[in-house]
Amino acid sequence: YLNSNVIKPITSTLKLSFAEVAGPVPVMFFVSHCWGAPFEHLVTAIRSHAQDTSKDKWGVVAYWVCLLSNNQWDVAAEVGNGNWQDWSFYKAL
């Protein structure tokens, strides 16, 4: 739902990742998610983590989140076209 109804419409003109459209920032934490879990759970977990780790500055903590950082228009390239060393996940870590 989120990808087809939010991410892709926002990124459709440029065919880039949401992160590229929103503007890059240095990230502090890596997050992957489960497509089968409610997105609200991911948001709640990230917010809780940010508040625990950054206290009063939790709103500026930056995360690399696969759904938002991977270009959903070119998923094959994001997963390295089969070569794990070219995966965006590998490069992010």
Side-chain angles (χ1 to χ4, degrees):
Y1 175 86
L2 188 63
N3 190 38
S4 60
N5 291 294
V6 178
I7 303 302
K8 281 200 156 183
I10 290 172
T11 61
S12 64
T13 303
L14 299 172
K15 302 285 192 274
L16 298 172
S17 71
F18 179 85
E20 291 170 305
V21 171
V25 296
V27 299
M28 301 168 72
F29 300 101
F30 175 93
V31 177
S32 189
H33 80 295
C34 172
W35 284 99
F39 187 67
E40 178 182 5
H41 293 181
L42 176 66
V43 172
T44 299
I46 290 173
R47 183 177 185 157
S48 177
H49 178 266
Q51 289 172 331
D52 287 347
T53 60
S54 300
K55 305 299 179 208
D56 60 333
K57 296 185 181 188
W58 70 269
V60 296
V61 178
Y63 292 82
W64 186 97
V65 180
C66 56
L67 167 68
L68 304 173
S69 299
N70 287 332
N71 184 345
Q72 299 300 320
W73 296 99
D74 194 6
V75 175
E78 295 293 339
V79 295
N81 293 306
N83 181 355
W84 66 269
Q85 291 177 323
D86 291 331
W87 289 9
S88 58
F89 292 86
Y90 177 80
K91 291 177 179 180
L93 292 172

